[in-house]
């Protein structure tokens, strides 16, 4: 979804989501924000590390997304941790709701980025990893790192 084409700027990335979950499906959503929140996001002052997503009354909301108050915003600043609505089409919400009804599936925020001047949130339908899955991922990373190191040494020497 999030390509590095024209008019794209990554603001926040949730690397932990890829470590803790198998990402089955990804969706690009808009987000309902107030003016000073948009300015703060443009400055890169946003975090989704502790955020999670819920579907309530056929609407999608993100909880725990921290947007730092805008310095010049004074009285117009909103609560940094307020619940924010994600903007999606009805058929997408219904599809996601059907997917997360299965045991072990949840919604996680993956990225927050600016695309052609608009703030977008990439969310993923994810299934939790077990401890042995995480160990396998760590082992793969170690093997990849070792082979890259050997390749680098071989090419330099």
């Amino acid at each position: 979804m999030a390509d590095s084409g024209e008019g794209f700027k990554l603001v926040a990335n949730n690397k932990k989501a890829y470590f803790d979950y198998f990402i089955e499906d990804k969706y690009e959503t808009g987000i309902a924000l107030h003016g000073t929140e948009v300015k703060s996001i443009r400055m890169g002052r946003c975090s989704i590390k502790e955020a999670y997503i819920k579907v309530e009354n056929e609407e999608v909301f993100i909880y725990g997304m921290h947007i730092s108050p805008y310095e010049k915003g004074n009285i117009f600043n909103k609560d940094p941790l307020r619940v924010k609505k994600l903007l999606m089409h009805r058929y997408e919400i219904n599809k996601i709701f059907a997917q997360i009804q299965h045991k072990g599936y949840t919604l996680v925020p993956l990225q927050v980025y600016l695309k052609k001047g608009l703030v977008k949130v990439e969310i993923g339908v994810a299934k939790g990893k077990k401890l042995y899955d995480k160990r396998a991922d760590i082992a793969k990373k170690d093997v990849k790192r070792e082979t890259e190191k050997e390749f680098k040494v071989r090419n330099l020497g």
Side-chain angles (χ1 to χ4, degrees):
M1 295 272 171
D3 58 336
S4 57
E6 190 91 13
F8 176 86
K9 179 188 172 199
L10 184 65
V11 178
N13 196 4
N14 192 356
K15 291 179 184 173
K16 191 103 169 110
Y18 290 98
F19 184 72
D20 290 338
Y21 300 98
F22 293 112
I23 308 300
E24 303 282 327
D25 215 352
K26 294 180 182 178
Y27 295 91
E28 180 180 79
T29 70
I31 184 168
L33 297 171
H34 293 279
T36 55
E37 291 176 322
V38 175
K39 289 180 179 186
S40 196
I41 286 176
R42 286 186 196 282
M43 292 172 53
R45 304 186 45 103
C46 171
S47 173
I48 55 172
K49 283 184 175 42
E50 302 294 320
Y52 60 97
I53 299 169
K54 281 188 179 179
V55 179
E56 298 172 350
N57 301 328
E58 296 185 1
E59 294 181 324
V60 184
F61 295 95
I62 186 165
Y63 293 83
M65 178 179 171
H66 187 276
I67 300 175
S68 299
Y70 184 59
E71 292 95 36
K72 300 178 180 98
N74 57 44
I75 61 167
F76 299 108
N77 281 333
K78 300 290 180 186
D79 177 29
L81 290 172
R82 77 177 180 85
V83 179
K84 295 154 196 76
K85 183 178 177 181
L86 296 179
L87 309 172
M88 300 180 75
H89 293 285
R90 176 75 53 221
Y91 69 90
E92 287 179 317
I93 295 171
N94 293 339
K95 184 178 175 186
I96 286 174
F97 189 70
Q99 286 177 317
I100 62 173
Q101 292 304 308
H102 298 293
K103 191 173 192 286
Y105 283 91
T106 188
L107 287 172
V108 292
L110 302 174
Q111 293 180 334
V112 176
Y113 53 92
L114 294 167
K115 182 177 178 184
K116 297 180 183 172
L118 300 174
V119 178
K120 300 289 185 181
V121 179
E122 185 178 56
I123 64 173
V125 176
K127 186 176 177 82
K129 285 185 180 179
K130 304 280 189 252
L131 183 61
Y132 55 83
D133 294 327
K134 292 180 187 178
R135 287 185 186 142
D137 282 354
I138 292 170
K140 285 180 191 173
K141 278 187 198 171
D142 288 345
V143 168
K144 184 178 176 186
R145 194 177 304 121
E146 288 297 320
T147 55
E148 285 176 358
K149 188 189 273 185
E150 289 174 19
F151 181 75
K152 194 173 185 181
V153 169
R154 224 179 290 136
N155 286 344
L156 290 176

